[in-house]
Short mmCIF file of all heavy atoms in Angstrom, two decimals:
data_model
loop_
_atom_site.label_atom_id
_atom_site.label_comp_id
_atom_site.label_asym_id
_atom_site.label_seq_id
_atom_site.Cartn_x
_atom_site.Cartn_y
_atom_site.Cartn_z
N THR A 275 -70.59 -163.85 -115.51
CA THR A 275 -71.65 -163.78 -114.50
C THR A 275 -71.13 -164.29 -113.16
O THR A 275 -70.41 -165.29 -113.10
CB THR A 275 -72.86 -164.62 -114.95
OG1 THR A 275 -73.30 -164.15 -116.22
CG2 THR A 275 -74.00 -164.52 -113.97
N VAL A 276 -71.52 -163.59 -112.12
CA VAL A 276 -71.24 -164.02 -110.75
C VAL A 276 -72.57 -164.06 -110.00
O VAL A 276 -73.55 -163.44 -110.41
CB VAL A 276 -70.24 -163.09 -110.03
CG1 VAL A 276 -68.86 -163.18 -110.66
CG2 VAL A 276 -70.73 -161.66 -110.02
N GLN A 277 -72.59 -164.82 -108.90
CA GLN A 277 -73.82 -164.94 -108.13
C GLN A 277 -73.51 -164.86 -106.64
O GLN A 277 -72.50 -165.38 -106.18
CB GLN A 277 -74.54 -166.26 -108.44
CG GLN A 277 -75.91 -166.34 -107.79
CD GLN A 277 -76.81 -167.41 -108.40
OE1 GLN A 277 -76.37 -168.20 -109.22
NE2 GLN A 277 -78.06 -167.41 -108.00
N LEU A 278 -74.41 -164.20 -105.93
CA LEU A 278 -74.30 -164.07 -104.48
C LEU A 278 -75.07 -165.22 -103.84
O LEU A 278 -76.20 -165.51 -104.23
CB LEU A 278 -74.88 -162.72 -104.03
CG LEU A 278 -74.71 -162.33 -102.57
CD1 LEU A 278 -73.23 -162.17 -102.22
CD2 LEU A 278 -75.46 -161.05 -102.27
N TRP A 279 -74.45 -165.86 -102.86
CA TRP A 279 -75.04 -167.01 -102.16
C TRP A 279 -74.97 -166.80 -100.66
O TRP A 279 -74.15 -166.05 -100.18
CB TRP A 279 -74.27 -168.28 -102.51
CG TRP A 279 -74.33 -168.69 -103.94
CD1 TRP A 279 -73.46 -168.32 -104.93
CD2 TRP A 279 -75.28 -169.54 -104.56
NE1 TRP A 279 -73.83 -168.90 -106.12
CE2 TRP A 279 -74.94 -169.66 -105.92
CE3 TRP A 279 -76.41 -170.22 -104.09
CZ2 TRP A 279 -75.67 -170.42 -106.82
CZ3 TRP A 279 -77.14 -170.98 -104.99
CH2 TRP A 279 -76.77 -171.08 -106.33
N ILE A 280 -75.81 -167.55 -99.95
CA ILE A 280 -75.75 -167.59 -98.49
C ILE A 280 -75.86 -169.05 -98.05
O ILE A 280 -76.65 -169.83 -98.61
CB ILE A 280 -76.85 -166.72 -97.83
CG1 ILE A 280 -76.65 -166.66 -96.31
CG2 ILE A 280 -78.24 -167.19 -98.20
CD1 ILE A 280 -77.51 -165.63 -95.62
N ARG A 281 -75.02 -169.41 -97.08
CA ARG A 281 -75.10 -170.75 -96.47
C ARG A 281 -74.78 -170.59 -94.99
O ARG A 281 -73.73 -170.06 -94.65
CB ARG A 281 -74.09 -171.70 -97.10
CG ARG A 281 -74.15 -173.08 -96.42
CD ARG A 281 -73.07 -174.03 -96.81
NE ARG A 281 -73.00 -174.16 -98.25
CZ ARG A 281 -71.91 -174.56 -98.89
NH1 ARG A 281 -70.81 -174.84 -98.24
NH2 ARG A 281 -71.91 -174.67 -100.20
N ASP A 282 -75.68 -171.02 -94.17
CA ASP A 282 -75.49 -170.95 -92.71
C ASP A 282 -75.07 -169.54 -92.27
O ASP A 282 -74.09 -169.36 -91.56
CB ASP A 282 -74.45 -171.97 -92.26
CG ASP A 282 -74.88 -173.40 -92.56
OD1 ASP A 282 -76.09 -173.67 -92.55
OD2 ASP A 282 -74.00 -174.25 -92.82
N LYS A 283 -75.79 -168.54 -92.72
CA LYS A 283 -75.60 -167.13 -92.36
C LYS A 283 -74.29 -166.52 -92.89
O LYS A 283 -73.91 -165.43 -92.47
CB LYS A 283 -75.70 -166.93 -90.85
CG LYS A 283 -77.05 -167.31 -90.28
CD LYS A 283 -77.11 -167.04 -88.80
CE LYS A 283 -78.46 -167.48 -88.25
NZ LYS A 283 -78.57 -167.27 -86.82
N THR A 284 -73.60 -167.22 -93.78
CA THR A 284 -72.37 -166.69 -94.37
C THR A 284 -72.62 -166.39 -95.84
O THR A 284 -73.05 -167.26 -96.59
CB THR A 284 -71.22 -167.72 -94.26
OG1 THR A 284 -71.01 -168.00 -92.87
CG2 THR A 284 -69.95 -167.19 -94.88
N CYS A 285 -72.32 -165.15 -96.23
CA CYS A 285 -72.45 -164.73 -97.64
C CYS A 285 -71.17 -165.07 -98.38
O CYS A 285 -70.09 -164.96 -97.82
CB CYS A 285 -72.66 -163.23 -97.74
SG CYS A 285 -74.28 -162.70 -97.29
N PHE A 286 -71.32 -165.45 -99.63
CA PHE A 286 -70.16 -165.61 -100.48
C PHE A 286 -70.55 -165.37 -101.93
O PHE A 286 -71.71 -165.46 -102.30
CB PHE A 286 -69.49 -166.98 -100.29
CG PHE A 286 -70.34 -168.17 -100.65
CD1 PHE A 286 -70.23 -168.77 -101.89
CD2 PHE A 286 -71.24 -168.70 -99.74
CE1 PHE A 286 -71.01 -169.87 -102.22
CE2 PHE A 286 -72.02 -169.80 -100.06
CZ PHE A 286 -71.90 -170.39 -101.30
N ILE A 287 -69.57 -165.01 -102.72
CA ILE A 287 -69.76 -164.73 -104.13
C ILE A 287 -69.09 -165.86 -104.90
O ILE A 287 -68.05 -166.36 -104.48
CB ILE A 287 -69.19 -163.33 -104.50
CG1 ILE A 287 -69.62 -162.89 -105.87
CG2 ILE A 287 -67.71 -163.28 -104.37
CD1 ILE A 287 -70.95 -162.24 -105.91
N ALA A 288 -69.72 -166.29 -106.01
CA ALA A 288 -69.17 -167.39 -106.79
C ALA A 288 -69.30 -167.11 -108.28
O ALA A 288 -70.20 -166.37 -108.70
CB ALA A 288 -69.90 -168.70 -106.44
N THR A 289 -68.41 -167.69 -109.04
CA THR A 289 -68.52 -167.59 -110.49
C THR A 289 -69.75 -168.39 -110.92
O THR A 289 -70.23 -169.25 -110.18
CB THR A 289 -67.26 -168.15 -111.19
OG1 THR A 289 -67.05 -169.50 -110.75
CG2 THR A 289 -66.03 -167.30 -110.86
N ALA A 290 -70.25 -168.11 -112.12
CA ALA A 290 -71.47 -168.78 -112.59
C ALA A 290 -71.31 -170.29 -112.66
O ALA A 290 -72.26 -171.03 -112.43
CB ALA A 290 -71.89 -168.22 -113.95
N ASP A 291 -70.11 -170.75 -112.96
CA ASP A 291 -69.89 -172.20 -113.05
C ASP A 291 -69.57 -172.82 -111.69
O ASP A 291 -69.31 -174.00 -111.58
CB ASP A 291 -68.77 -172.50 -114.04
CG ASP A 291 -67.45 -171.83 -113.67
OD1 ASP A 291 -67.33 -171.25 -112.57
OD2 ASP A 291 -66.52 -171.89 -114.50
N ASN A 292 -69.59 -172.00 -110.63
CA ASN A 292 -69.31 -172.43 -109.26
C ASN A 292 -67.95 -173.09 -109.10
O ASN A 292 -67.74 -173.89 -108.19
CB ASN A 292 -70.41 -173.36 -108.73
CG ASN A 292 -71.69 -172.62 -108.46
OD1 ASN A 292 -71.66 -171.49 -107.99
ND2 ASN A 292 -72.81 -173.22 -108.78
N GLN A 293 -67.02 -172.75 -109.97
CA GLN A 293 -65.67 -173.29 -109.86
C GLN A 293 -64.85 -172.54 -108.81
O GLN A 293 -63.95 -173.11 -108.20
CB GLN A 293 -64.96 -173.21 -111.22
CG GLN A 293 -65.56 -174.11 -112.27
CD GLN A 293 -65.44 -175.57 -111.92
OE1 GLN A 293 -64.38 -176.04 -111.51
NE2 GLN A 293 -66.51 -176.32 -112.07
N ARG A 294 -65.15 -171.27 -108.62
CA ARG A 294 -64.42 -170.46 -107.64
C ARG A 294 -65.42 -169.66 -106.82
O ARG A 294 -66.42 -169.19 -107.34
CB ARG A 294 -63.44 -169.53 -108.36
CG ARG A 294 -62.34 -170.26 -109.11
CD ARG A 294 -61.37 -169.29 -109.79
NE ARG A 294 -61.99 -168.29 -110.64
CZ ARG A 294 -62.29 -168.47 -111.93
NH1 ARG A 294 -62.07 -169.62 -112.50
NH2 ARG A 294 -62.83 -167.49 -112.63
N SER A 295 -65.09 -169.48 -105.55
CA SER A 295 -65.95 -168.66 -104.69
C SER A 295 -65.09 -167.97 -103.65
O SER A 295 -63.95 -168.36 -103.41
CB SER A 295 -67.03 -169.51 -104.02
OG SER A 295 -66.44 -170.43 -103.13
N ALA A 296 -65.67 -166.93 -103.06
CA ALA A 296 -64.96 -166.17 -102.02
C ALA A 296 -65.94 -165.77 -100.94
O ALA A 296 -67.01 -165.24 -101.25
CB ALA A 296 -64.30 -164.93 -102.64
N PRO A 297 -65.60 -166.00 -99.67
CA PRO A 297 -66.49 -165.57 -98.58
C PRO A 297 -66.44 -164.06 -98.43
O PRO A 297 -65.46 -163.41 -98.77
CB PRO A 297 -65.88 -166.26 -97.36
CG PRO A 297 -64.44 -166.47 -97.70
CD PRO A 297 -64.40 -166.66 -99.20
N LEU A 298 -67.52 -163.51 -97.93
CA LEU A 298 -67.65 -162.07 -97.72
C LEU A 298 -67.80 -161.82 -96.23
O LEU A 298 -68.80 -162.21 -95.62
CB LEU A 298 -68.85 -161.51 -98.50
CG LEU A 298 -68.80 -161.74 -100.00
CD1 LEU A 298 -70.15 -161.43 -100.63
CD2 LEU A 298 -67.69 -160.92 -100.64
N ALA A 299 -66.81 -161.17 -95.63
CA ALA A 299 -66.80 -160.99 -94.18
C ALA A 299 -67.71 -159.84 -93.72
O ALA A 299 -68.28 -159.90 -92.64
CB ALA A 299 -65.37 -160.72 -93.72
N HIS A 300 -67.86 -158.80 -94.55
CA HIS A 300 -68.58 -157.61 -94.09
C HIS A 300 -69.94 -157.40 -94.77
O HIS A 300 -70.73 -156.60 -94.29
CB HIS A 300 -67.71 -156.37 -94.30
CG HIS A 300 -66.38 -156.50 -93.63
ND1 HIS A 300 -66.22 -156.49 -92.26
CD2 HIS A 300 -65.14 -156.68 -94.14
CE1 HIS A 300 -64.95 -156.65 -91.97
NE2 HIS A 300 -64.27 -156.77 -93.08
N THR A 301 -70.19 -158.08 -95.86
CA THR A 301 -71.44 -157.89 -96.60
C THR A 301 -72.55 -158.71 -95.94
O THR A 301 -72.41 -159.91 -95.72
CB THR A 301 -71.27 -158.33 -98.06
OG1 THR A 301 -70.21 -157.56 -98.63
CG2 THR A 301 -72.54 -158.14 -98.85
#
C-alpha cells in the first residue's frame, strides 16, 4: 500500500509504513 499526501502545497507519495517517500513535482 502507498498513500498520497500533501504538506504545504507539496504532494508526495509514501509507503504505508511511512518509511520512504518521494516528492511529486508535476502532480
Side-chain angles (χ1 to χ4, degrees):
T275 303
V276 292
Q277 187 162 8
L278 187 64
W279 296 90
I280 187 169
R281 178 189 307 157
D282 298 329
K283 298 183 182 179
T284 301
C285 285
F286 63 97
I287 191 85
T289 56
D291 59 8
N292 289 322
Q293 293 296 314
R294 295 181 307 274
S295 65
L298 301 168
H300 304 290
T301 302

